Amino acid sequence: MTKHELLHAHLETLMQGGIGPDQRLPPERELAEAFGVSRMTVRHALDRLERERRVYRVQGAGTFVARPPIAKTIELTSFTEDMRRRGLVPGSVLRVFETVAAGPEIGYALALSPADEVVHVERVRTADGIPMCLEHAYLPAALVPGLTTLEGSLYEQLHRRYRIRITRAEQSIRATVLDQQAAARLDAPPFSPALLVERTAFDERDRPVERAMSTYRGDRYSFEIAVTTAAAGSPARAGRRSGDE
């Protein structure tokens, strides 16, 4: 076994036995001296662990053990339901609750005039108290009269209070980085990797009832997509769509 492999195995042992999530690994210089290797070799080993999403780095502070990422399948489930399935306690920190004009982009997504009112909700979604996602949700105000605050699952509240049941959603997922404000909200380093999920959700009458932009911490979330081939003579089957509220 090479020194690089020995070092990698040693770091894995540390993470499995002694150093827990969000705790700092020994400094590069200390590891280099202990294994008689160059700091470049140590850096390569840490780079490999970072690519594997086993560690994360904080500039000026060191390398820390990452928490296992949460894998989400592409299906129409709420954030609250996802966390409960994994034995985690879902939570929310309400940052903004307001009624505003839809504007051109949100209005187009919700089939509204730009002047029509929408309810805008900004929340930090948490699992076991740890920030996971920063979300902005927009709802046609005419569909949710009297809605003045939001706790728990938005989809559950829409169904229970307004008899609105989300049946499908159209969404896109792309890579991004956290700006200063989003990083502060999610307790993550600025410009660290993230996933941006943009979604329009529809009810049983096929009305667009929610437009949402959700930013997930890249070190804590991954999306699993089932891909199938098209049956002979049949159109390709689309992947399941997701709503993450």
Side-chain angles (χ1 to χ4, degrees):
M1 184 179 289
T2 66
K3 288 185 176 181
H4 178 277
E5 291 170 334
L6 285 171
L7 176 59
H8 188 272
H10 174 71
L11 291 172
E12 284 191 320
T13 299
L14 286 178
M15 292 187 292
Q16 292 170 0
I19 303 179
D22 298 320
Q23 293 184 333
R24 188 166 66 91
L25 290 172
E28 290 181 7
R29 183 177 62 181
E30 182 179 319
L31 291 169
E33 291 175 353
F35 284 84
V37 297
S38 68
R39 292 187 67 172
M40 183 61 71
T41 299
V42 173
R43 199 164 292 124
H44 284 327
L46 293 175
D47 286 344
R48 176 181 168 185
L49 290 171
E50 188 174 28
R51 288 193 301 271
E52 296 170 348
R53 303 174 73 184
R54 306 279 300 283
V55 302
Y56 64 93
R57 286 168 164 139
V58 178
Q59 187 173 2
T63 303
F64 296 79
V65 177
R67 293 178 178 271
I70 295 173
K72 173 173 174 49
T73 58
I74 303 301
E75 59 181 332
L76 190 56
T77 57
S78 69
F79 179 93
T80 299
E81 185 179 354
D82 279 344
M83 297 305 103
R84 288 172 178 164
R85 285 180 178 179
R86 290 162 175 77
L88 304 173
V89 178
S92 295
V93 178
L94 183 64
R95 307 290 308 190
V96 175
F97 192 100
E98 61 183 355
T99 300
V100 297
E105 182 182 347
I106 301 301
Y108 177 79
L110 294 176
L112 301 173
S113 163
D116 287 342
E117 290 188 333
V118 293
V119 175
H120 169 220
V121 182
E122 178 189 337
R123 295 189 293 175
V124 176
R125 307 307 303 270
T126 64
D128 285 350
I130 299 171
M132 293 285 179
C133 167
L134 175 64
E135 67 178 22
H136 291 266
Y138 298 86
L139 310 167
L143 292 182
V144 289
L147 185 65
T148 57
T149 190
L150 186 61
E151 296 181 2
S153 170
L154 169 61
Y155 286 1
E156 289 179 3
Q157 189 159 341
L158 287 177
H159 187 227
R160 181 177 64 253
R161 183 170 179 180
Y162 299 102
R163 298 297 185 264
I164 296 173
R165 189 167 72 89
I166 305 299
T167 57
R168 72 178 185 90
E170 296 174 355
Q171 75 176 23
S172 64
I173 305 172
R174 62 183 173 88
T176 186
V177 296
L178 298 177
D179 60 24
Q180 297 278 356
Q181 185 181 62
R185 296 275 200 270
L186 294 175
D187 194 22
F191 310 113
S192 57
L195 294 170
L196 175 62
V197 179
E198 298 180 298
R199 178 183 63 255
T200 303
F202 299 81
D203 68 1
E204 294 171 300
R205 296 164 59 183
D206 213 34
R207 298 178 300 180
V209 297
E210 181 210 27
R211 177 64 177 172
M213 286 78 78
S214 303
T215 304
Y216 292 86
R217 286 176 50 167
D219 63 333
R220 296 308 317 277
Y221 239 85
S222 65
F223 282 79
E224 296 180 349
I225 302 174
V227 180
T228 61
T229 59
S234 301
R237 292 166 57 193
R240 290 176 292 179
R241 291 167 176 158
S242 171
D244 240 11
E245 264 317 300

